[in-house]
Amino acid sequence: MDRVVDLVQGNAFVVTDLHGAWQPYVNCRDHFIDLYQQGLADTLIFLGDILHGYGPPEEDYSLAILWDIMQLQADLGSNRVIMLLGNHELPHIYGITLSKGDIEFTPRFEHALGEYRSYVIEFLMGLPFCVRTIGGTMLTHAGAVASVATPEVAGWLLTFSHQKLLDEADRLLNREDVSDLIRASLNIEPSEYDSQAYRYLAVNGPDDPRYYDLLRGFIVGNLSEWQKLWDFFFNQCEMGLSITFYRKVLERFLEVYSTPGMQQHVLVTGHMAVQDGYAIVAEKQLRLASWSHSTPKEAGCYLLFDVEQPIETASDLIPHIQPLWLLSQFRESSSRWTDHPNA
Ligand SMILES: [Mn+2]
C-alpha cells in the first residue's frame, strides 16, 4: 500500500494534534470549508493524533471527530481531506496499549468503538504516513530519527502493510502455548485474562473473535519491525541531541523520503509541545501545534500554503502560519455547537 500522498497543486491547510478536542476540530473544519468554497484552500490535512483527550471522558470527542473526518473525506474526496497516522492512532490497529505516566490512553477509545469498530479500524489501517509536495515541504506526524532515515527503512515504510505485521504476529501466536504466553507476557494468571482483555480492548469473553488480540498486541510490540514503525510516529527529534547532529539526521531523513521530481527540503510536524503554536527546529523543520500541544492552547496555529511554491528552509513557511483562534470567534462558535455527538 502506498503510504505517501504527493501533492502537486493547490493550497494545503494543515492542522495537528487535536487529541479529541471537539471545538478546535470544528473551528478547523469550518474554516477550511469556508476557504475551500472561496477557492482559497484545496486540501485539508490532519497531521495525526486526532485521538485521545487528556481530560475527563465527557470532554473527549475522539470518536466523534474521527467519524466526522471519515464523513468529510467521503463527501469531498480522499484527495481533499487527508489524515496522516499518528502515534495515538497506531496502537489501535494492533491492540497495543498506550499510556503516559498514569494516563492510559487506549481503553476509553476501544470501549467507545462499539458498532463502529470495523469501519474505524479499517480507516486507520488505510491512513497514509506522510505527504510530499512539489515545492519541497514534507508533512508527517513526528520528526526525523536516525533509525528510519535509511533508504531501506524508507522503502519499507512508504509501502507498509499493517496486515503483514498482524499476520506475522498471528503466526507466532499459533505456535505458542497460550497459558504460558499470558503468564510471561502479561504477567497475570490465565484466569485473569478475560478481565484484562475486556479492560484494554473491550473483548467480550472467549467467544469474541478478537479474544486473543491483547496477546497478539504484545507479540507485535516485541517484533523488531514494530520498533522501526513506532520510531517513525513517536520520536523526540532534537531532544538529547546537539542541534548540529539533529540537522544532519533531518537532512538525511528528507533525502531518503524524496524521489526524483519530489525533492523534499523542509519537514512539517506536530507531536511535540510548542510555545505559541509553532517553532523552527534546525532550520529545516517547522513544528506546528494547533491546539493540544500549544502553550497557551489559544495560540494554536494552522498552516496554509501553496504546495507549488518552492520551500528551502522552514522560515519560508512562516508567512503562511495563521492563528487558529480568534477568541471572539471561539465564544460565538461555542454557543453554536452545543449539540455535538458525544464520544
Ligand atoms: Mn504524537
Short mmCIF file of all heavy atoms in Angstrom, two decimals, residues 172-235:
data_model
loop_
_atom_site.label_atom_id
_atom_site.label_comp_id
_atom_site.label_asym_id
_atom_site.label_seq_id
_atom_site.Cartn_x
_atom_site.Cartn_y
_atom_site.Cartn_z
N LEU A 172 3.05 -16.40 14.96
CA LEU A 172 3.81 -16.66 16.18
C LEU A 172 2.88 -17.07 17.33
O LEU A 172 3.20 -17.98 18.10
CB LEU A 172 4.62 -15.41 16.59
CG LEU A 172 5.75 -15.04 15.63
CD1 LEU A 172 6.30 -13.65 15.97
CD2 LEU A 172 6.88 -16.07 15.68
N LEU A 173 1.73 -16.41 17.40
CA LEU A 173 0.76 -16.72 18.45
C LEU A 173 0.30 -18.18 18.37
O LEU A 173 0.16 -18.86 19.38
CB LEU A 173 -0.44 -15.76 18.32
CG LEU A 173 -1.56 -15.86 19.37
CD1 LEU A 173 -1.03 -15.56 20.76
CD2 LEU A 173 -2.68 -14.88 19.03
N ASN A 174 0.08 -18.65 17.14
CA ASN A 174 -0.38 -20.03 16.95
C ASN A 174 0.66 -21.07 17.36
O ASN A 174 0.33 -22.22 17.60
CB ASN A 174 -0.78 -20.25 15.48
CG ASN A 174 -2.08 -19.53 15.17
OD1 ASN A 174 -2.90 -19.32 16.05
ND2 ASN A 174 -2.26 -19.14 13.92
N ARG A 175 1.91 -20.66 17.41
CA ARG A 175 2.98 -21.60 17.78
C ARG A 175 3.17 -21.70 19.29
O ARG A 175 3.84 -22.60 19.78
CB ARG A 175 4.32 -21.12 17.18
CG ARG A 175 4.45 -21.39 15.70
CD ARG A 175 5.86 -21.31 15.23
NE ARG A 175 6.75 -20.50 16.07
CZ ARG A 175 7.81 -19.85 15.61
NH1 ARG A 175 8.09 -19.90 14.34
NH2 ARG A 175 8.59 -19.17 16.42
N GLU A 176 2.61 -20.75 20.02
CA GLU A 176 2.88 -20.66 21.46
C GLU A 176 1.83 -21.37 22.28
O GLU A 176 0.68 -21.52 21.85
CB GLU A 176 2.89 -19.18 21.88
CG GLU A 176 3.95 -18.32 21.22
CD GLU A 176 5.33 -18.54 21.81
OE1 GLU A 176 5.41 -19.02 22.96
OE2 GLU A 176 6.32 -18.25 21.11
N ASP A 177 2.20 -21.76 23.46
CA ASP A 177 1.22 -22.20 24.44
C ASP A 177 0.62 -20.93 25.07
O ASP A 177 1.32 -20.13 25.68
CB ASP A 177 1.90 -23.05 25.53
CG ASP A 177 0.88 -23.51 26.57
OD1 ASP A 177 0.56 -22.70 27.47
OD2 ASP A 177 0.41 -24.64 26.46
N VAL A 178 -0.68 -20.78 24.88
CA VAL A 178 -1.33 -19.53 25.25
C VAL A 178 -1.21 -19.23 26.75
O VAL A 178 -0.93 -18.10 27.15
CB VAL A 178 -2.81 -19.54 24.79
CG1 VAL A 178 -3.57 -18.40 25.42
CG2 VAL A 178 -2.87 -19.43 23.27
N SER A 179 -1.38 -20.25 27.59
CA SER A 179 -1.30 -20.01 29.04
C SER A 179 0.09 -19.53 29.45
O SER A 179 0.24 -18.59 30.24
CB SER A 179 -1.63 -21.29 29.82
OG SER A 179 -2.97 -21.61 29.60
N ASP A 180 1.12 -20.17 28.88
CA ASP A 180 2.49 -19.73 29.17
C ASP A 180 2.70 -18.29 28.73
O ASP A 180 3.33 -17.49 29.41
CB ASP A 180 3.51 -20.62 28.42
CG ASP A 180 3.60 -21.99 29.06
OD1 ASP A 180 3.06 -22.16 30.17
OD2 ASP A 180 4.21 -22.89 28.43
N LEU A 181 2.17 -18.01 27.55
CA LEU A 181 2.36 -16.67 26.98
C LEU A 181 1.66 -15.61 27.84
O LEU A 181 2.20 -14.52 28.05
CB LEU A 181 1.79 -16.64 25.56
CG LEU A 181 2.19 -15.47 24.68
CD1 LEU A 181 3.70 -15.39 24.51
CD2 LEU A 181 1.54 -15.60 23.30
N ILE A 182 0.47 -15.93 28.34
CA ILE A 182 -0.26 -14.99 29.19
C ILE A 182 0.56 -14.70 30.46
O ILE A 182 0.74 -13.54 30.84
CB ILE A 182 -1.66 -15.54 29.56
CG1 ILE A 182 -2.57 -15.52 28.33
CG2 ILE A 182 -2.29 -14.73 30.70
CD1 ILE A 182 -3.90 -16.24 28.51
N ARG A 183 1.11 -15.77 31.04
CA ARG A 183 1.90 -15.57 32.26
C ARG A 183 3.17 -14.77 31.96
O ARG A 183 3.51 -13.82 32.68
CB ARG A 183 2.30 -16.92 32.87
CG ARG A 183 1.14 -17.62 33.55
CD ARG A 183 1.62 -18.79 34.41
NE ARG A 183 0.49 -19.62 34.82
CZ ARG A 183 0.05 -20.68 34.13
NH1 ARG A 183 0.68 -21.06 33.01
NH2 ARG A 183 -0.99 -21.36 34.55
N ALA A 184 3.84 -15.12 30.87
CA ALA A 184 5.14 -14.50 30.58
C ALA A 184 5.00 -13.07 30.07
O ALA A 184 5.77 -12.18 30.44
CB ALA A 184 5.89 -15.34 29.55
N SER A 185 3.99 -12.84 29.23
CA SER A 185 3.94 -11.53 28.57
C SER A 185 3.11 -10.53 29.37
O SER A 185 3.49 -9.37 29.50
CB SER A 185 3.36 -11.67 27.17
OG SER A 185 2.04 -12.16 27.23
N LEU A 186 1.97 -10.97 29.88
CA LEU A 186 1.09 -10.03 30.57
C LEU A 186 1.32 -10.05 32.08
O LEU A 186 0.78 -9.21 32.80
CB LEU A 186 -0.37 -10.34 30.25
CG LEU A 186 -0.75 -10.34 28.76
CD1 LEU A 186 -2.19 -10.76 28.57
CD2 LEU A 186 -0.50 -8.98 28.12
N ASN A 187 2.08 -11.04 32.52
CA ASN A 187 2.39 -11.15 33.95
C ASN A 187 1.13 -11.34 34.80
O ASN A 187 1.02 -10.77 35.89
CB ASN A 187 3.18 -9.91 34.39
CG ASN A 187 4.03 -10.18 35.61
OD1 ASN A 187 4.32 -11.34 35.91
ND2 ASN A 187 4.40 -9.13 36.33
N ILE A 188 0.19 -12.10 34.27
CA ILE A 188 -1.03 -12.42 35.02
C ILE A 188 -1.32 -13.92 34.87
O ILE A 188 -0.76 -14.58 34.00
CB ILE A 188 -2.26 -11.63 34.51
CG1 ILE A 188 -2.48 -11.89 32.99
CG2 ILE A 188 -2.13 -10.14 34.80
CD1 ILE A 188 -3.78 -11.31 32.45
N GLU A 189 -2.23 -14.44 35.70
CA GLU A 189 -2.68 -15.82 35.57
C GLU A 189 -3.71 -15.89 34.42
O GLU A 189 -4.47 -14.93 34.22
CB GLU A 189 -3.32 -16.29 36.88
CG GLU A 189 -2.31 -16.68 37.94
CD GLU A 189 -1.33 -17.75 37.46
OE1 GLU A 189 -1.79 -18.79 36.95
OE2 GLU A 189 -0.10 -17.52 37.57
N PRO A 190 -3.76 -17.01 33.69
CA PRO A 190 -4.73 -17.14 32.59
C PRO A 190 -6.17 -16.85 33.02
O PRO A 190 -6.96 -16.33 32.23
CB PRO A 190 -4.56 -18.60 32.15
CG PRO A 190 -3.15 -18.92 32.49
CD PRO A 190 -2.84 -18.17 33.76
N SER A 191 -6.49 -17.14 34.27
CA SER A 191 -7.86 -16.86 34.75
C SER A 191 -8.18 -15.36 34.77
O SER A 191 -9.34 -14.97 34.79
CB SER A 191 -8.04 -17.43 36.16
OG SER A 191 -7.09 -16.85 37.03
N GLU A 192 -7.15 -14.55 34.75
CA GLU A 192 -7.38 -13.09 34.77
C GLU A 192 -7.43 -12.48 33.36
O GLU A 192 -7.66 -11.29 33.22
CB GLU A 192 -6.26 -12.39 35.55
CG GLU A 192 -6.14 -12.78 37.01
CD GLU A 192 -4.86 -12.24 37.62
OE1 GLU A 192 -4.80 -11.03 37.88
OE2 GLU A 192 -3.90 -13.03 37.80
N TYR A 193 -7.17 -13.34 32.37
CA TYR A 193 -7.05 -12.80 31.00
C TYR A 193 -8.34 -12.14 30.52
O TYR A 193 -8.31 -11.05 29.93
CB TYR A 193 -6.62 -13.89 30.02
CG TYR A 193 -6.45 -13.36 28.60
CD1 TYR A 193 -5.31 -12.65 28.25
CD2 TYR A 193 -7.45 -13.53 27.63
CE1 TYR A 193 -5.16 -12.13 26.97
CE2 TYR A 193 -7.31 -13.02 26.36
CZ TYR A 193 -6.16 -12.32 26.03
OH TYR A 193 -6.01 -11.80 24.78
N ASP A 194 -9.48 -12.80 30.79
CA ASP A 194 -10.77 -12.25 30.32
C ASP A 194 -10.96 -10.79 30.74
O ASP A 194 -11.33 -9.94 29.94
CB ASP A 194 -11.94 -13.05 30.87
CG ASP A 194 -12.12 -14.38 30.15
OD1 ASP A 194 -11.16 -14.81 29.48
OD2 ASP A 194 -13.21 -14.97 30.26
N SER A 195 -10.72 -10.54 32.02
CA SER A 195 -10.98 -9.19 32.52
C SER A 195 -9.99 -8.18 31.94
O SER A 195 -10.35 -7.04 31.66
CB SER A 195 -10.96 -9.16 34.05
OG SER A 195 -9.67 -9.46 34.51
N GLN A 196 -8.75 -8.61 31.71
CA GLN A 196 -7.76 -7.70 31.11
C GLN A 196 -8.10 -7.40 29.65
O GLN A 196 -7.98 -6.27 29.20
CB GLN A 196 -6.36 -8.31 31.21
CG GLN A 196 -5.85 -8.44 32.62
CD GLN A 196 -5.66 -7.09 33.30
OE1 GLN A 196 -4.94 -6.24 32.80
NE2 GLN A 196 -6.33 -6.88 34.43
N ALA A 197 -8.52 -8.45 28.93
CA ALA A 197 -8.88 -8.26 27.51
C ALA A 197 -10.10 -7.34 27.39
O ALA A 197 -10.19 -6.54 26.47
CB ALA A 197 -9.15 -9.61 26.85
N TYR A 198 -11.01 -7.45 28.36
CA TYR A 198 -12.16 -6.55 28.36
C TYR A 198 -11.72 -5.12 28.69
O TYR A 198 -12.09 -4.16 28.02
CB TYR A 198 -13.23 -7.01 29.36
CG TYR A 198 -14.41 -6.05 29.37
CD1 TYR A 198 -15.32 -6.05 28.31
CD2 TYR A 198 -14.56 -5.12 30.40
CE1 TYR A 198 -16.38 -5.15 28.29
CE2 TYR A 198 -15.61 -4.21 30.37
CZ TYR A 198 -16.51 -4.23 29.31
OH TYR A 198 -17.54 -3.33 29.29
N ARG A 199 -10.92 -5.01 29.71
CA ARG A 199 -10.50 -3.69 30.16
C ARG A 199 -9.75 -2.91 29.07
O ARG A 199 -10.02 -1.74 28.83
CB ARG A 199 -9.58 -3.86 31.38
CG ARG A 199 -9.09 -2.56 31.88
CD ARG A 199 -8.36 -2.64 33.20
NE ARG A 199 -7.81 -1.32 33.44
CZ ARG A 199 -6.65 -1.08 34.01
NH1 ARG A 199 -5.92 -2.07 34.45
NH2 ARG A 199 -6.22 0.15 34.16
N TYR A 200 -8.81 -3.58 28.41
CA TYR A 200 -7.99 -2.84 27.45
C TYR A 200 -8.57 -2.78 26.04
O TYR A 200 -8.35 -1.82 25.32
CB TYR A 200 -6.57 -3.44 27.41
CG TYR A 200 -5.80 -3.06 28.65
CD1 TYR A 200 -5.52 -4.00 29.64
CD2 TYR A 200 -5.37 -1.75 28.85
CE1 TYR A 200 -4.83 -3.65 30.80
CE2 TYR A 200 -4.70 -1.38 30.00
CZ TYR A 200 -4.43 -2.32 30.97
OH TYR A 200 -3.77 -1.96 32.11
N LEU A 201 -9.27 -3.86 25.64
CA LEU A 201 -9.70 -3.91 24.24
C LEU A 201 -11.20 -4.15 24.07
O LEU A 201 -11.65 -4.42 22.95
CB LEU A 201 -8.92 -5.00 23.49
CG LEU A 201 -7.40 -4.79 23.40
CD1 LEU A 201 -6.77 -5.95 22.63
CD2 LEU A 201 -7.06 -3.47 22.70
N ALA A 202 -11.97 -4.07 25.17
CA ALA A 202 -13.42 -4.29 25.09
C ALA A 202 -13.76 -5.65 24.47
O ALA A 202 -14.74 -5.78 23.73
CB ALA A 202 -14.10 -3.14 24.33
N VAL A 203 -12.95 -6.65 24.75
CA VAL A 203 -13.18 -8.01 24.26
C VAL A 203 -14.15 -8.71 25.21
O VAL A 203 -13.94 -8.73 26.43
CB VAL A 203 -11.84 -8.79 24.20
CG1 VAL A 203 -12.09 -10.28 24.01
CG2 VAL A 203 -10.97 -8.25 23.08
N ASN A 204 -15.23 -9.25 24.63
CA ASN A 204 -16.28 -9.88 25.44
C ASN A 204 -16.14 -11.40 25.49
O ASN A 204 -16.85 -12.12 24.80
CB ASN A 204 -17.66 -9.50 24.89
CG ASN A 204 -18.00 -8.06 25.21
OD1 ASN A 204 -18.01 -7.65 26.38
ND2 ASN A 204 -18.24 -7.26 24.17
N GLY A 205 -15.23 -11.89 26.27
CA GLY A 205 -15.15 -13.32 26.55
C GLY A 205 -14.58 -14.18 25.44
O GLY A 205 -14.27 -13.69 24.35
N PRO A 206 -14.42 -15.47 25.71
CA PRO A 206 -13.72 -16.39 24.80
C PRO A 206 -14.39 -16.56 23.44
O PRO A 206 -13.73 -16.98 22.49
CB PRO A 206 -13.74 -17.73 25.56
CG PRO A 206 -13.99 -17.36 26.98
CD PRO A 206 -14.80 -16.11 26.98
N ASP A 207 -15.68 -16.23 23.32
CA ASP A 207 -16.34 -16.39 22.02
C ASP A 207 -16.11 -15.20 21.10
O ASP A 207 -16.45 -15.24 19.92
CB ASP A 207 -17.86 -16.57 22.22
CG ASP A 207 -18.17 -17.87 22.93
OD1 ASP A 207 -17.32 -18.80 22.84
OD2 ASP A 207 -19.23 -17.96 23.59
N ASP A 208 -15.55 -14.14 21.66
CA ASP A 208 -15.28 -12.95 20.84
C ASP A 208 -14.16 -13.29 19.85
O ASP A 208 -13.11 -13.79 20.25
CB ASP A 208 -14.84 -11.80 21.78
CG ASP A 208 -14.83 -10.45 21.09
OD1 ASP A 208 -14.31 -10.37 19.95
OD2 ASP A 208 -15.31 -9.47 21.70
N PRO A 209 -14.38 -13.02 18.55
CA PRO A 209 -13.31 -13.32 17.57
C PRO A 209 -12.01 -12.57 17.85
O PRO A 209 -10.95 -12.95 17.37
CB PRO A 209 -13.92 -12.90 16.22
CG PRO A 209 -15.22 -12.24 16.51
CD PRO A 209 -15.60 -12.51 17.93
N ARG A 210 -12.09 -11.52 18.66
CA ARG A 210 -10.89 -10.75 18.98
C ARG A 210 -10.27 -11.20 20.31
O ARG A 210 -9.44 -10.48 20.89
CB ARG A 210 -11.23 -9.25 19.07
CG ARG A 210 -11.78 -8.67 17.76
CD ARG A 210 -11.89 -7.14 17.83
NE ARG A 210 -12.77 -6.70 18.88
CZ ARG A 210 -12.36 -6.01 19.96
NH1 ARG A 210 -11.10 -5.67 20.11
NH2 ARG A 210 -13.23 -5.66 20.89
N TYR A 211 -10.68 -12.38 20.76
CA TYR A 211 -10.28 -12.80 22.11
C TYR A 211 -8.78 -12.70 22.38
O TYR A 211 -8.35 -12.25 23.43
CB TYR A 211 -10.76 -14.24 22.36
CG TYR A 211 -10.58 -14.68 23.80
CD1 TYR A 211 -11.25 -14.03 24.83
CD2 TYR A 211 -9.72 -15.73 24.12
CE1 TYR A 211 -11.09 -14.41 26.15
CE2 TYR A 211 -9.56 -16.13 25.44
CZ TYR A 211 -10.24 -15.46 26.46
OH TYR A 211 -10.07 -15.84 27.76
N TYR A 212 -7.97 -13.11 21.41
CA TYR A 212 -6.52 -13.12 21.65
C TYR A 212 -5.81 -11.83 21.19
O TYR A 212 -4.59 -11.79 21.13
CB TYR A 212 -5.88 -14.35 21.00
CG TYR A 212 -6.22 -15.61 21.77
CD1 TYR A 212 -6.96 -16.63 21.18
CD2 TYR A 212 -5.82 -15.75 23.10
CE1 TYR A 212 -7.29 -17.78 21.90
CE2 TYR A 212 -6.16 -16.89 23.82
CZ TYR A 212 -6.89 -17.90 23.22
OH TYR A 212 -7.20 -19.01 23.94
N ASP A 213 -6.59 -10.81 20.87
CA ASP A 213 -5.96 -9.58 20.36
C ASP A 213 -5.00 -8.92 21.36
O ASP A 213 -4.01 -8.31 20.97
CB ASP A 213 -7.01 -8.56 19.92
CG ASP A 213 -7.58 -8.88 18.54
OD1 ASP A 213 -7.29 -9.99 18.03
OD2 ASP A 213 -8.30 -8.05 17.98
N LEU A 214 -5.31 -9.05 22.64
CA LEU A 214 -4.42 -8.44 23.65
C LEU A 214 -3.06 -9.14 23.64
O LEU A 214 -2.01 -8.49 23.71
CB LEU A 214 -5.06 -8.53 25.04
CG LEU A 214 -4.35 -7.77 26.17
CD1 LEU A 214 -4.36 -6.26 25.94
CD2 LEU A 214 -5.00 -8.09 27.53
N LEU A 215 -3.10 -10.45 23.52
CA LEU A 215 -1.85 -11.22 23.44
C LEU A 215 -1.11 -10.92 22.14
O LEU A 215 0.11 -10.77 22.12
CB LEU A 215 -2.16 -12.72 23.47
CG LEU A 215 -2.13 -13.41 24.81
CD1 LEU A 215 -2.37 -14.91 24.62
CD2 LEU A 215 -0.78 -13.20 25.51
N ARG A 216 -1.87 -10.85 21.06
CA ARG A 216 -1.27 -10.55 19.76
C ARG A 216 -0.58 -9.18 19.79
O ARG A 216 0.51 -9.01 19.26
CB ARG A 216 -2.32 -10.59 18.66
CG ARG A 216 -1.72 -10.36 17.29
CD ARG A 216 -2.71 -10.52 16.18
NE ARG A 216 -3.74 -9.46 16.21
CZ ARG A 216 -4.65 -9.31 15.27
NH1 ARG A 216 -4.71 -10.13 14.25
NH2 ARG A 216 -5.53 -8.33 15.37
N GLY A 217 -1.23 -8.21 20.45
CA GLY A 217 -0.64 -6.88 20.58
C GLY A 217 0.71 -6.94 21.28
O GLY A 217 1.66 -6.25 20.90
N PHE A 218 0.78 -7.80 22.29
CA PHE A 218 2.05 -7.94 22.99
C PHE A 218 3.12 -8.52 22.06
O PHE A 218 4.27 -8.06 22.05
CB PHE A 218 1.87 -8.85 24.22
CG PHE A 218 3.16 -9.02 24.96
CD1 PHE A 218 3.56 -8.08 25.90
CD2 PHE A 218 3.99 -10.11 24.69
CE1 PHE A 218 4.78 -8.22 26.55
CE2 PHE A 218 5.20 -10.25 25.35
CZ PHE A 218 5.59 -9.31 26.29
N ILE A 219 2.73 -9.50 21.27
CA ILE A 219 3.69 -10.11 20.33
C ILE A 219 4.16 -9.08 19.31
O ILE A 219 5.36 -8.95 19.05
CB ILE A 219 3.06 -11.34 19.63
CG1 ILE A 219 2.89 -12.46 20.66
CG2 ILE A 219 3.90 -11.80 18.45
CD1 ILE A 219 2.15 -13.67 20.14
N VAL A 220 3.22 -8.33 18.76
CA VAL A 220 3.60 -7.29 17.77
C VAL A 220 4.61 -6.32 18.38
O VAL A 220 5.63 -5.99 17.77
CB VAL A 220 2.35 -6.50 17.28
CG1 VAL A 220 2.78 -5.29 16.45
CG2 VAL A 220 1.43 -7.38 16.46
N GLY A 221 4.31 -5.89 19.61
CA GLY A 221 5.17 -4.91 20.27
C GLY A 221 6.60 -5.39 20.50
O GLY A 221 7.49 -4.58 20.76
N ASN A 222 6.79 -6.70 20.40
CA ASN A 222 8.14 -7.24 20.58
C ASN A 222 8.82 -7.62 19.27
O ASN A 222 9.95 -8.11 19.29
CB ASN A 222 8.08 -8.46 21.50
CG ASN A 222 8.00 -8.02 22.95
OD1 ASN A 222 8.97 -7.59 23.54
ND2 ASN A 222 6.78 -8.06 23.50
N LEU A 223 8.15 -7.38 18.16
CA LEU A 223 8.80 -7.64 16.86
C LEU A 223 9.75 -6.49 16.54
O LEU A 223 9.45 -5.33 16.84
CB LEU A 223 7.74 -7.76 15.75
CG LEU A 223 6.76 -8.94 15.85
CD1 LEU A 223 5.68 -8.82 14.78
CD2 LEU A 223 7.51 -10.26 15.70
N SER A 224 10.86 -6.81 15.91
CA SER A 224 11.84 -5.76 15.60
C SER A 224 11.24 -4.75 14.61
O SER A 224 11.55 -3.56 14.65
CB SER A 224 13.13 -6.37 15.05
OG SER A 224 12.83 -7.11 13.89
N GLU A 225 10.35 -5.22 13.73
CA GLU A 225 9.72 -4.31 12.77
C GLU A 225 8.89 -3.25 13.50
O GLU A 225 8.79 -2.11 13.04
CB GLU A 225 8.78 -5.06 11.81
CG GLU A 225 9.48 -5.98 10.85
CD GLU A 225 9.43 -7.42 11.33
OE1 GLU A 225 9.60 -7.65 12.56
OE2 GLU A 225 9.22 -8.31 10.49
N TRP A 226 8.25 -3.67 14.60
CA TRP A 226 7.41 -2.72 15.33
C TRP A 226 8.22 -1.52 15.79
O TRP A 226 7.77 -0.38 15.70
CB TRP A 226 6.73 -3.39 16.53
CG TRP A 226 6.09 -2.37 17.44
CD1 TRP A 226 6.60 -1.87 18.59
CD2 TRP A 226 4.84 -1.69 17.23
NE1 TRP A 226 5.75 -0.92 19.12
CE2 TRP A 226 4.66 -0.79 18.31
CE3 TRP A 226 3.85 -1.76 16.24
CZ2 TRP A 226 3.53 0.04 18.42
CZ3 TRP A 226 2.74 -0.94 16.36
CH2 TRP A 226 2.59 -0.06 17.43
N GLN A 227 9.40 -1.75 16.30
CA GLN A 227 10.20 -0.66 16.84
C GLN A 227 10.49 0.40 15.78
O GLN A 227 10.40 1.60 16.03
CB GLN A 227 11.51 -1.19 17.44
CG GLN A 227 12.22 -0.16 18.31
CD GLN A 227 11.32 0.42 19.41
OE1 GLN A 227 10.77 -0.34 20.22
NE2 GLN A 227 11.12 1.74 19.43
N LYS A 228 10.80 -0.06 14.56
CA LYS A 228 11.08 0.90 13.49
C LYS A 228 9.82 1.66 13.08
O LYS A 228 9.84 2.86 12.83
CB LYS A 228 11.68 0.18 12.27
CG LYS A 228 13.20 0.07 12.38
CD LYS A 228 13.79 -0.66 11.20
CE LYS A 228 13.59 -2.16 11.35
NZ LYS A 228 14.11 -2.95 10.24
N LEU A 229 8.70 0.92 13.03
CA LEU A 229 7.42 1.56 12.70
C LEU A 229 7.10 2.62 13.76
O LEU A 229 6.74 3.76 13.44
CB LEU A 229 6.32 0.48 12.67
CG LEU A 229 4.90 0.95 12.35
CD1 LEU A 229 4.80 1.48 10.93
CD2 LEU A 229 3.89 -0.19 12.57
N TRP A 230 7.24 2.24 15.02
CA TRP A 230 6.94 3.16 16.14
C TRP A 230 7.84 4.39 16.09
O TRP A 230 7.38 5.52 16.32
CB TRP A 230 7.09 2.40 17.46
CG TRP A 230 6.75 3.23 18.66
CD1 TRP A 230 7.61 3.68 19.61
CD2 TRP A 230 5.45 3.72 19.05
NE1 TRP A 230 6.94 4.41 20.56
CE2 TRP A 230 5.62 4.45 20.24
CE3 TRP A 230 4.17 3.61 18.47
CZ2 TRP A 230 4.54 5.08 20.89
CZ3 TRP A 230 3.10 4.24 19.13
CH2 TRP A 230 3.30 4.96 20.31
N ASP A 231 9.12 4.17 15.79
CA ASP A 231 10.08 5.29 15.72
C ASP A 231 9.64 6.36 14.72
O ASP A 231 9.89 7.54 14.92
CB ASP A 231 11.48 4.80 15.30
CG ASP A 231 12.21 4.13 16.46
OD1 ASP A 231 11.70 4.15 17.60
OD2 ASP A 231 13.30 3.58 16.20
N PHE A 232 8.99 5.93 13.64
CA PHE A 232 8.54 6.89 12.63
C PHE A 232 7.44 7.80 13.20
O PHE A 232 7.37 8.98 12.85
CB PHE A 232 8.02 6.15 11.39
CG PHE A 232 7.72 7.06 10.23
CD1 PHE A 232 8.72 7.44 9.35
CD2 PHE A 232 6.43 7.54 10.01
CE1 PHE A 232 8.44 8.29 8.27
CE2 PHE A 232 6.14 8.39 8.94
CZ PHE A 232 7.15 8.76 8.08
N PHE A 233 6.61 7.26 14.09
CA PHE A 233 5.46 8.00 14.61
C PHE A 233 5.69 8.60 15.99
O PHE A 233 4.94 9.48 16.41
CB PHE A 233 4.22 7.11 14.63
CG PHE A 233 3.80 6.70 13.26
CD1 PHE A 233 4.14 5.45 12.76
CD2 PHE A 233 3.12 7.58 12.44
CE1 PHE A 233 3.79 5.09 11.47
CE2 PHE A 233 2.77 7.23 11.16
CZ PHE A 233 3.10 5.98 10.66
N PHE A 234 6.67 8.07 16.67
CA PHE A 234 6.97 8.59 18.01
C PHE A 234 8.47 8.73 18.14
O PHE A 234 9.19 7.73 18.26
CB PHE A 234 6.44 7.65 19.10
CG PHE A 234 6.66 8.19 20.49
CD1 PHE A 234 5.67 8.92 21.13
CD2 PHE A 234 7.88 8.02 21.13
CE1 PHE A 234 5.89 9.44 22.40
CE2 PHE A 234 8.10 8.54 22.40
CZ PHE A 234 7.11 9.25 23.03
N ASN A 235 8.93 9.96 18.10
CA ASN A 235 10.35 10.21 18.38
C ASN A 235 10.49 11.58 19.00
O ASN A 235 9.54 12.37 19.02
CB ASN A 235 11.19 10.06 17.11
CG ASN A 235 10.72 10.96 16.00
OD1 ASN A 235 10.79 12.18 16.10
ND2 ASN A 235 10.19 10.39 14.93
#
